[in-house]
Amino acid sequence: MSQTITIAPITRIEGHASIAIQLDDAGNVQDSKVHIMSLRGFEKFVEGKPAEELPRIVNRICGICPWQHHLASNKAVDRCFGVTPPPAGRKLRELMQTISHAEDKLLHFFFLAAADFVIGPDSDYAVRNVIGIARANPELARKVVQMRYMAKMMLEKFAGKAIHPIAGVVGGFSKPLLEAERKEFLAKMHQLLDFALFTIDFAKTEIFPKYLDTITSLGAIKTGFIGTVDDDGALDLYDGKIRLMKPDMSFIEFDSQDYADYIGEHVEPYSYGKLPYARCWNEGFSLDLAEPRGIYRSNCLARVNVADKMATPRAQAELEEFREKFGRPAQATLLYHWARLIEEVYACEHAIELLEDPEITDTNIRAKVEPKAGRGVGCLEAPRGTLIHDYATDENGLITRANMIVGTTHNLGPINMSVNQAARSLIKNGEISEGTLNRIEMAVRAYDP
Amino acid sequence: MTAKIAEEWLNSCSGCEIAIVDMGQRLLDILDKAEFVHIPVLLDHKYLGQLGDGRHIEIPEADVGIISGGIRNEEHLEVAQEMRSKCRTIAALGTCATHGGIPALTNAYHTDAVLERYYSTETTDKPDHWPDDGVPACLDACYALDEKIKVDIYLPGCPPHPDHVYAALAALLEGTTPVLPARSVCDTCPTMRAGKGQLKQLRRFLQAPHYGSPQEPLDKMRCLLEQGLLCMGPVTRAGCGGDKTTPRCIAARVPCRGCYGPVKQDGNQLLDMLNALASNGIEIGSLPEHPSLLRFSGAHRLLRPARQGKES
């Protein structure tokens, strides 16, 4: 008899989703769906609000990457009002975004993902979590907690709030960085860089080799990729051109202001979340495993695939080693974990670069702003992908229209595909175990949705 | 015996859960004293059994149930009711749970208008009908928890400061009731107040407030409201600064927007703020719009769609 297996909720991810797997009479997978279970509708309820207030409203889209929403929103409003932040204002924004990337990747790797590898994918769920890791390896747990806490407290001490930030303001930043603070930050970022290097070495010696078969096969699909690069083609988390790459490595680049000419959003009846696709490829939308159409991926694996190089030395060395092993573009889904740790090294190195720039303590941090009618797209790389905020304002600077494409949503189509692939390869003749279902979720967790 | 904790997130952003994680070393101390039996962000306990073959949402029994987020759809409601029936004490964590939070700004619109806009943006291929296959139907509004289930403890904040989360958890694990600051943000704000002045108009937050050099401490900066910037400090519960008490937005030289909700649980930040402005002779008409004064506390039917389809 046909049967539906429901994995609800998908756990150790950020957000509300579930998986429904339909089995046929023989107990093999007929179909699968990833349900995105809720909708808040920021696009509607920001209408009529003063645009300069939006960076303090839309950060609530995500409590894990509020800095990215906060800053993409600031960039969009800057454009609406036709203002350019002074160099130090821009650099402080970029510093905050870079430190929050560094903090976020530690959170995902150790708190959300690691248990599947350190404790094991088939182990009891009661211990397959960060609490289990804390019991099994208290010294590591203490170090992880300490490093993350240090990064978060840097953000809070300087910028007031670390979660749902307020220090980015239209036209720049709300307060300058003092020399004493710069020195303190620099010393702490060096500690974080050391920990980032420890983490990637730990993963490359203790984790990835043990699970190489799983990593290269679980949830494996073939798609295009999206990410932001600078003028030299190096990965850039804060600003640059959007590069949209096909599976055969051919790519187009565009200015984020023109995103709507390239990206469309498809709607499926089983998901409140919309599924973006490459409208500009003119091949429509399909999640067919053998022949997907319009499907590309975002987040760290996508970024290291589209970038020609990393702009910092340690991260570049890691990227070279990664490409040597897995080629370019690397398609295996669980390689997201590896790519995330390369980006962790980059974020720490880049924060140090920013802090070594004497201009960052300049006190000219905010340009004069007048509200006016306009339109602006603010774009940057959130941990989970290319984040787009697009606003229009009236002559009083109130929002008349808003459209947002959030980093994770680019991956909703690919997540559906990876779940389908994993379910088909793991479930045969109706045989299901907790470990099997957890492995299917591991294909989702890799994307850190 | 270790206390059992169950945690759920509803119409929320996960910021409250990250605030739990941001307790740092104190999180490890809590983990020594408590057993989490259900917390989707960290633990793989499933609603329908570990093999996914159950029929109804089931959450294990717990001494303390912590819920972040408001209630916006049928699944949120079912989860909240199951938590209530299984947990001895229910704590509402964060302003979404206590007052609706930012997502309750949706209450200025009918749900259909929200869906209509979301599924017809310029990048969206507009569907024939809105999603309805295996996704929970939306309720007519975003509700605070206590509009749908009984709440024992209120822990507002967007998000609550990790110091408060820790203090609250430690109290709950000892079986006592956490005590919230009963004062306003202004009561804990170090900036200088000169008293009623000549101020008639508020200006929008488009320029930095006046203060001396960046090194100068906050107690040398004049009150932001007295500088003519809308600051919700008078009508907002104190506590956002955690143990250090200085309000977090003020520390960044930015005015308060009210994220800890009203000073009293059943207060109305919009009415209270308009009253405060009027009694100081400030023209209410100088505000660009009013619903934003309820941006953190629009549940409890305070924010509603206007009759002619216009924002209230």
PDB file of all heavy atoms in Angstrom, chain A residues 193-211:
ATOM      1  N   LEU A 193      40.893  33.942  13.704  1.00  0.00           N
ATOM      2  CA  LEU A 193      41.540  33.345  12.525  1.00  0.00           C
ATOM      3  C   LEU A 193      42.268  32.050  12.925  1.00  0.00           C
ATOM      4  O   LEU A 193      42.167  31.035  12.232  1.00  0.00           O
ATOM      5  CB  LEU A 193      42.520  34.334  11.878  1.00  0.00           C
ATOM      6  CG  LEU A 193      43.366  33.775  10.729  1.00  0.00           C
ATOM      7  CD1 LEU A 193      42.493  33.263   9.575  1.00  0.00           C
ATOM      8  CD2 LEU A 193      44.342  34.834  10.198  1.00  0.00           C
ATOM      9  N   ASP A 194      42.972  32.090  14.052  1.00  0.00           N
ATOM     10  CA  ASP A 194      43.638  30.863  14.523  1.00  0.00           C
ATOM     11  C   ASP A 194      42.610  29.747  14.707  1.00  0.00           C
ATOM     12  O   ASP A 194      42.851  28.594  14.347  1.00  0.00           O
ATOM     13  CB  ASP A 194      44.353  31.111  15.863  1.00  0.00           C
ATOM     14  CG  ASP A 194      45.603  31.958  15.684  1.00  0.00           C
ATOM     15  OD1 ASP A 194      46.056  32.116  14.527  1.00  0.00           O
ATOM     16  OD2 ASP A 194      46.112  32.479  16.696  1.00  0.00           O
ATOM     17  N   PHE A 195      41.466  30.107  15.260  1.00  0.00           N
ATOM     18  CA  PHE A 195      40.449  29.076  15.494  1.00  0.00           C
ATOM     19  C   PHE A 195      39.844  28.589  14.170  1.00  0.00           C
ATOM     20  O   PHE A 195      39.526  27.410  14.023  1.00  0.00           O
ATOM     21  CB  PHE A 195      39.354  29.609  16.419  1.00  0.00           C
ATOM     22  CG  PHE A 195      38.405  28.534  16.871  1.00  0.00           C
ATOM     23  CD1 PHE A 195      38.842  27.509  17.699  1.00  0.00           C
ATOM     24  CD2 PHE A 195      37.084  28.520  16.439  1.00  0.00           C
ATOM     25  CE1 PHE A 195      37.980  26.487  18.107  1.00  0.00           C
ATOM     26  CE2 PHE A 195      36.216  27.507  16.837  1.00  0.00           C
ATOM     27  CZ  PHE A 195      36.662  26.492  17.671  1.00  0.00           C
ATOM     28  N   ALA A 196      39.710  29.492  13.201  1.00  0.00           N
ATOM     29  CA  ALA A 196      39.198  29.099  11.885  1.00  0.00           C
ATOM     30  C   ALA A 196      40.156  28.096  11.239  1.00  0.00           C
ATOM     31  O   ALA A 196      39.734  27.096  10.648  1.00  0.00           O
ATOM     32  CB  ALA A 196      39.035  30.328  10.995  1.00  0.00           C
ATOM     33  N   LEU A 197      41.447  28.366  11.362  1.00  0.00           N
ATOM     34  CA  LEU A 197      42.450  27.458  10.775  1.00  0.00           C
ATOM     35  C   LEU A 197      42.454  26.117  11.510  1.00  0.00           C
ATOM     36  O   LEU A 197      42.556  25.058  10.895  1.00  0.00           O
ATOM     37  CB  LEU A 197      43.838  28.109  10.816  1.00  0.00           C
ATOM     38  CG  LEU A 197      43.968  29.357   9.919  1.00  0.00           C
ATOM     39  CD1 LEU A 197      45.252  30.130  10.244  1.00  0.00           C
ATOM     40  CD2 LEU A 197      43.937  28.980   8.440  1.00  0.00           C
ATOM     41  N   PHE A 198      42.308  26.179  12.841  1.00  0.00           N
ATOM     42  CA  PHE A 198      42.181  24.932  13.603  1.00  0.00           C
ATOM     43  C   PHE A 198      40.962  24.148  13.125  1.00  0.00           C
ATOM     44  O   PHE A 198      41.017  22.935  12.928  1.00  0.00           O
ATOM     45  CB  PHE A 198      42.060  25.227  15.106  1.00  0.00           C
ATOM     46  CG  PHE A 198      41.416  24.118  15.883  1.00  0.00           C
ATOM     47  CD1 PHE A 198      42.149  22.999  16.249  1.00  0.00           C
ATOM     48  CD2 PHE A 198      40.048  24.161  16.191  1.00  0.00           C
ATOM     49  CE1 PHE A 198      41.541  21.939  16.934  1.00  0.00           C
ATOM     50  CE2 PHE A 198      39.436  23.109  16.871  1.00  0.00           C
ATOM     51  CZ  PHE A 198      40.181  22.004  17.243  1.00  0.00           C
ATOM     52  N   THR A 199      39.843  24.849  12.941  1.00  0.00           N
ATOM     53  CA  THR A 199      38.588  24.178  12.588  1.00  0.00           C
ATOM     54  C   THR A 199      38.689  23.472  11.240  1.00  0.00           C
ATOM     55  O   THR A 199      38.274  22.318  11.093  1.00  0.00           O
ATOM     56  CB  THR A 199      37.421  25.196  12.565  1.00  0.00           C
ATOM     57  OG1 THR A 199      37.335  25.819  13.843  1.00  0.00           O
ATOM     58  CG2 THR A 199      36.102  24.506  12.264  1.00  0.00           C
ATOM     59  N   ILE A 200      39.238  24.150  10.247  1.00  0.00           N
ATOM     60  CA  ILE A 200      39.295  23.515   8.922  1.00  0.00           C
ATOM     61  C   ILE A 200      40.286  22.339   8.951  1.00  0.00           C
ATOM     62  O   ILE A 200      40.049  21.297   8.326  1.00  0.00           O
ATOM     63  CB  ILE A 200      39.589  24.545   7.792  1.00  0.00           C
ATOM     64  CG1 ILE A 200      39.256  23.917   6.432  1.00  0.00           C
ATOM     65  CG2 ILE A 200      40.993  25.103   7.850  1.00  0.00           C
ATOM     66  CD1 ILE A 200      39.152  24.911   5.284  1.00  0.00           C
ATOM     67  N   ASP A 201      41.368  22.463   9.727  1.00  0.00           N
ATOM     68  CA  ASP A 201      42.291  21.325   9.852  1.00  0.00           C
ATOM     69  C   ASP A 201      41.617  20.159  10.569  1.00  0.00           C
ATOM     70  O   ASP A 201      41.756  19.001  10.165  1.00  0.00           O
ATOM     71  CB  ASP A 201      43.549  21.742  10.635  1.00  0.00           C
ATOM     72  CG  ASP A 201      44.546  22.451   9.730  1.00  0.00           C
ATOM     73  OD1 ASP A 201      44.415  22.313   8.499  1.00  0.00           O
ATOM     74  OD2 ASP A 201      45.430  23.152  10.266  1.00  0.00           O
ATOM     75  N   PHE A 202      40.896  20.472  11.615  1.00  0.00           N
ATOM     76  CA  PHE A 202      40.159  19.450  12.371  1.00  0.00           C
ATOM     77  C   PHE A 202      39.184  18.723  11.436  1.00  0.00           C
ATOM     78  O   PHE A 202      39.125  17.493  11.419  1.00  0.00           O
ATOM     79  CB  PHE A 202      39.405  20.148  13.511  1.00  0.00           C
ATOM     80  CG  PHE A 202      38.401  19.295  14.234  1.00  0.00           C
ATOM     81  CD1 PHE A 202      38.800  18.343  15.158  1.00  0.00           C
ATOM     82  CD2 PHE A 202      37.033  19.453  13.998  1.00  0.00           C
ATOM     83  CE1 PHE A 202      37.867  17.559  15.843  1.00  0.00           C
ATOM     84  CE2 PHE A 202      36.092  18.675  14.670  1.00  0.00           C
ATOM     85  CZ  PHE A 202      36.514  17.729  15.593  1.00  0.00           C
ATOM     86  N   ALA A 203      38.455  19.498  10.636  1.00  0.00           N
ATOM     87  CA  ALA A 203      37.479  18.890   9.721  1.00  0.00           C
ATOM     88  C   ALA A 203      38.183  18.047   8.664  1.00  0.00           C
ATOM     89  O   ALA A 203      37.723  16.955   8.314  1.00  0.00           O
ATOM     90  CB  ALA A 203      36.630  19.975   9.072  1.00  0.00           C
ATOM     91  N   LYS A 204      39.317  18.541   8.176  1.00  0.00           N
ATOM     92  CA  LYS A 204      40.005  17.819   7.095  1.00  0.00           C
ATOM     93  C   LYS A 204      40.712  16.565   7.591  1.00  0.00           C
ATOM     94  O   LYS A 204      41.001  15.660   6.812  1.00  0.00           O
ATOM     95  CB  LYS A 204      41.012  18.747   6.400  1.00  0.00           C
ATOM     96  CG  LYS A 204      40.341  19.775   5.507  1.00  0.00           C
ATOM     97  CD  LYS A 204      41.308  20.475   4.568  1.00  0.00           C
ATOM     98  CE  LYS A 204      42.376  21.232   5.320  1.00  0.00           C
ATOM     99  NZ  LYS A 204      43.209  22.036   4.406  1.00  0.00           N
ATOM    100  N   THR A 205      41.029  16.507   8.889  1.00  0.00           N
ATOM    101  CA  THR A 205      41.688  15.299   9.396  1.00  0.00           C
ATOM    102  C   THR A 205      40.713  14.354  10.100  1.00  0.00           C
ATOM    103  O   THR A 205      40.771  13.151   9.918  1.00  0.00           O
ATOM    104  CB  THR A 205      42.835  15.661  10.366  1.00  0.00           C
ATOM    105  OG1 THR A 205      42.330  16.549  11.349  1.00  0.00           O
ATOM    106  CG2 THR A 205      43.983  16.311   9.636  1.00  0.00           C
ATOM    107  N   GLU A 206      39.778  14.926  10.880  1.00  0.00           N
ATOM    108  CA  GLU A 206      38.924  14.076  11.730  1.00  0.00           C
ATOM    109  C   GLU A 206      37.570  13.739  11.108  1.00  0.00           C
ATOM    110  O   GLU A 206      36.937  12.768  11.491  1.00  0.00           O
ATOM    111  CB  GLU A 206      38.661  14.777  13.073  1.00  0.00           C
ATOM    112  CG  GLU A 206      39.890  15.219  13.835  1.00  0.00           C
ATOM    113  CD  GLU A 206      40.640  14.046  14.451  1.00  0.00           C
ATOM    114  OE1 GLU A 206      39.965  13.078  14.868  1.00  0.00           O
ATOM    115  OE2 GLU A 206      41.875  14.104  14.481  1.00  0.00           O
ATOM    116  N   ILE A 207      37.055  14.587  10.217  1.00  0.00           N
ATOM    117  CA  ILE A 207      35.683  14.416   9.765  1.00  0.00           C
ATOM    118  C   ILE A 207      35.565  14.046   8.289  1.00  0.00           C
ATOM    119  O   ILE A 207      35.043  12.982   7.952  1.00  0.00           O
ATOM    120  CB  ILE A 207      34.866  15.710  10.040  1.00  0.00           C
ATOM    121  CG1 ILE A 207      34.690  15.889  11.546  1.00  0.00           C
ATOM    122  CG2 ILE A 207      33.495  15.634   9.358  1.00  0.00           C
ATOM    123  CD1 ILE A 207      33.945  17.135  11.939  1.00  0.00           C
ATOM    124  N   PHE A 208      36.047  14.914   7.418  1.00  0.00           N
ATOM    125  CA  PHE A 208      35.797  14.699   5.995  1.00  0.00           C
ATOM    126  C   PHE A 208      36.335  13.368   5.472  1.00  0.00           C
ATOM    127  O   PHE A 208      35.629  12.683   4.715  1.00  0.00           O
ATOM    128  CB  PHE A 208      36.333  15.885   5.169  1.00  0.00           C
ATOM    129  CG  PHE A 208      35.665  17.200   5.481  1.00  0.00           C
ATOM    130  CD1 PHE A 208      36.355  18.395   5.370  1.00  0.00           C
ATOM    131  CD2 PHE A 208      34.332  17.251   5.883  1.00  0.00           C
ATOM    132  CE1 PHE A 208      35.738  19.613   5.648  1.00  0.00           C
ATOM    133  CE2 PHE A 208      33.703  18.462   6.175  1.00  0.00           C
ATOM    134  CZ  PHE A 208      34.411  19.647   6.055  1.00  0.00           C
ATOM    135  N   PRO A 209      37.554  12.939   5.860  1.00  0.00           N
ATOM    136  CA  PRO A 209      38.041  11.663   5.306  1.00  0.00           C
ATOM    137  C   PRO A 209      37.149  10.475   5.679  1.00  0.00           C
ATOM    138  O   PRO A 209      36.909   9.593   4.859  1.00  0.00           O
ATOM    139  CB  PRO A 209      39.436  11.513   5.943  1.00  0.00           C
ATOM    140  CG  PRO A 209      39.818  12.870   6.407  1.00  0.00           C
ATOM    141  CD  PRO A 209      38.550  13.579   6.738  1.00  0.00           C
ATOM    142  N   LYS A 210      36.609  10.507   6.920  1.00  0.00           N
ATOM    143  CA  LYS A 210      35.768   9.405   7.380  1.00  0.00           C
ATOM    144  C   LYS A 210      34.467   9.300   6.586  1.00  0.00           C
ATOM    145  O   LYS A 210      33.886   8.231   6.462  1.00  0.00           O
ATOM    146  CB  LYS A 210      35.408   9.644   8.858  1.00  0.00           C
ATOM    147  CG  LYS A 210      36.147   8.754   9.827  1.00  0.00           C
ATOM    148  CD  LYS A 210      35.442   8.759  11.182  1.00  0.00           C
ATOM    149  CE  LYS A 210      36.023   9.840  12.079  1.00  0.00           C
ATOM    150  NZ  LYS A 210      35.400   9.887  13.403  1.00  0.00           N
ATOM    151  N   TYR A 211      33.992  10.415   6.100  1.00  0.00           N
ATOM    152  CA  TYR A 211      32.672  10.452   5.459  1.00  0.00           C
ATOM    153  C   TYR A 211      32.747  10.795   3.979  1.00  0.00           C
ATOM    154  O   TYR A 211      31.776  11.254   3.397  1.00  0.00           O
ATOM    155  CB  TYR A 211      31.774  11.471   6.182  1.00  0.00           C
ATOM    156  CG  TYR A 211      31.387  11.017   7.564  1.00  0.00           C
ATOM    157  CD1 TYR A 211      32.073  11.461   8.681  1.00  0.00           C
ATOM    158  CD2 TYR A 211      30.331  10.105   7.746  1.00  0.00           C
ATOM    159  CE1 TYR A 211      31.727  11.032   9.954  1.00  0.00           C
ATOM    160  CE2 TYR A 211      29.977   9.673   9.010  1.00  0.00           C
ATOM    161  CZ  TYR A 211      30.680  10.140  10.111  1.00  0.00           C
ATOM    162  OH  TYR A 211      30.334   9.711  11.367  1.00  0.00           O
TER     163      TYR A 211
END
